[in-house]
Amino acid sequence: MIQTVHPGDLRPTDTALCEACWTEPVQRMRLTSHGRDLLCRACADSGSPPRVELFPPLGIYGLTYRKLGEPRADKHRSPGAPQTPPNPGPPLPSPPPQPTPGRPPV
């Protein structure tokens, strides 16, 4: 369902540019099962999809309910001792360097 946007329809966090082409001002609002799309007249008439979801219901860029339902295999490992990173880098100098007077330590 596509509606014409009126000034009171937009929230302070809504974008002022079309979510499909990102060049024209918002003139139409398309209501979908996932929320609403703010589009210009040309993109609404052509049925263009939004290119990115800026403010999903959770308020985090790119995070949607669909992505929350997909657990990552590497995120939830079996409990145990912490592991070192794959490349910890060079060892720290011993003894530690002394600061030079007149210059902050780097």
Side-chain angles (χ1 to χ4, degrees):
M1 177 174 163
I2 298 176
Q3 301 174 351
T4 302
V5 174
H6 301 289
D9 294 339
L10 297 178
R11 300 177 193 132
T13 55
D14 285 338
T15 180
L17 295 177
C18 172
E19 293 177 347
C21 66
W22 292 101
T23 56
E24 298 296 320
V26 170
Q27 297 171 339
R28 302 274 194 259
M29 179 178 8
R30 180 173 53 206
L31 300 176
T32 65
S33 62
H34 298 291
R36 61 189 187 141
D37 300 331
L38 301 174
L39 305 167
C40 65
R41 181 174 293 156
C43 291
D45 292 343
S46 66
S48 299
R51 289 198 288 172
V52 69
E53 193 169 298
L54 283 180
F55 298 106
L58 303 176
I60 304 170
Y61 172 78
L63 183 62
T64 61
Y65 286 115
R66 258 180 279 138
K67 288 184 182 177
L68 284 178
E70 301 168 1
R72 289 182 19 209
D74 64 335
K75 185 175 180 183
H76 301 287
R77 294 184 182 167
S78 62
Q83 298 177 353
T84 59
N87 182 6
L92 297 174
S94 178
Q98 298 298 319
T100 306
R103 286 198 268 164
V106 178

